[in-house]
Amino acid sequence: MADNAQDTDQKEYMENVDYSEDVETKAGEVNELDETIDPELEELKNRMLEMEKEAQRLRELEENLTKEPNEDGQGGEGDSDDADARSIYVGNVDYVTTPEELQEHFKGSGAINRVTILCNKFTGHPKGFAYVEFGTTDAVTKAQLLDGSMLHGRPLKVNPKRTNVPGVNRGRGRGRGYGFAPRGRGFRGRGRGAYYSPY
């Protein structure tokens, strides 16, 4: 009986409660939140528009760079082949030689664009060779005349720079040459067989 009385009291309470006030207050709260969120949303939308405009401008600039050739003649695959044709390899370079000294040594051949002395990536020490890029291909032939010339007491080896062709290796294949270990009991010493037991 007590349960029935509680059930009827709850039903009467549920029927008499006015939910419209709660809905209005919650809606009012949402409207207040919308008013505070709207300026933030507008600011975010403006930022997104600015970023989209910037991205579009960058795309246009990139397209213009790919369409127009560079005025200085650098960049692109064809230009790298041209730079290789205007460059020389200099071997047997002393480790204390600076790019300025190499530039001074080869300045009689022609205008020099760049001098590169290759270094070990781990230690930072020079590898003993360099590349010199000239302004013209005629300077390469003049620089080859300096093959065998002395710099820091060492005779320089001067050759035109060769262009590496991608996909072509130098013939170092994975053959069964030095270092191949045969199968079976090789390198295990001189055993008496699989079933030998000293006892």
Side-chain angles (χ1 to χ4, degrees):
M1 287 261 198
D3 289 334
N4 287 340
Q6 283 181 350
D7 288 339
T8 55
D9 287 341
Q10 283 182 352
K11 287 181 183 176
E12 288 176 9
Y13 176 75
M14 299 283 275
E15 291 171 359
N16 293 333
V17 172
D18 185 19
Y19 290 107
S20 61
E21 294 176 4
D22 289 341
V23 171
E24 289 174 7
T25 56
K26 288 182 182 176
E29 290 173 3
V30 169
N31 287 339
E32 290 173 8
L33 289 175
D34 285 344
E35 291 172 3
T36 58
I37 292 174
D38 281 346
E40 293 172 3
L41 284 175
E42 290 298 320
E43 184 179 341
L44 288 174
K45 287 179 183 177
N46 289 338
R47 286 184 184 172
M48 288 295 292
L49 287 173
E50 289 174 9
M51 290 191 318
E52 288 174 2
K53 289 178 184 176
E54 183 71 19
Q56 180 63 30
R57 190 171 65 88
L58 288 173
R59 274 188 235 112
E60 290 173 1
L61 285 173
E62 186 177 332
E63 288 175 8
N64 289 341
L65 287 175
T66 56
K67 288 179 184 176
E68 298 174 7
N70 291 345
E71 293 176 5
D72 58 355
Q74 295 178 354
E77 288 183 20
D79 292 334
S80 67
D81 290 341
D82 184 43
D84 286 349
R86 293 181 284 122
S87 300
I88 58 168
Y89 163 85
V90 183
N92 200 25
V93 177
D94 191 26
Y95 297 119
V96 296
T97 304
T98 63
E100 291 80 15
E101 291 172 334
L102 279 173
Q103 186 173 0
E104 185 70 25
H105 189 77
F106 288 102
K107 73 177 182 181
S109 301
I112 297 174
N113 291 345
R114 177 181 11 190
V115 176
T116 306
I117 297 177
L118 276 77
C119 296
N120 185 323
K121 65 181 175 182
F122 300 112
T123 63
H125 298 298
K127 290 184 175 182
F129 62 94
Y131 292 102
V132 179
E133 180 184 333
F134 293 101
T136 61
T137 55
D138 295 335
V140 173
T141 55
K142 291 178 184 175
Q144 285 178 344
L145 298 175
L146 293 174
D147 185 25
S149 63
M150 300 294 279
L151 181 64
H152 288 285
R154 299 178 93 174
L156 296 179
K157 177 80 172 155
V158 180
N159 290 325
K161 182 180 178 192
R162 63 179 177 84
T163 303
N164 288 334
V165 179
V168 177
N169 60 12
R170 292 185 236 164
R172 293 184 191 173
R174 292 179 52 187
R176 290 188 171 188
Y178 176 75
F180 172 71
R183 296 180 189 245
R185 293 188 330 185
F187 300 113
R188 291 189 185 176
R190 295 173 55 189
R192 294 185 182 225
Y195 299 105
Y196 172 74
S197 176
Y199 301 107

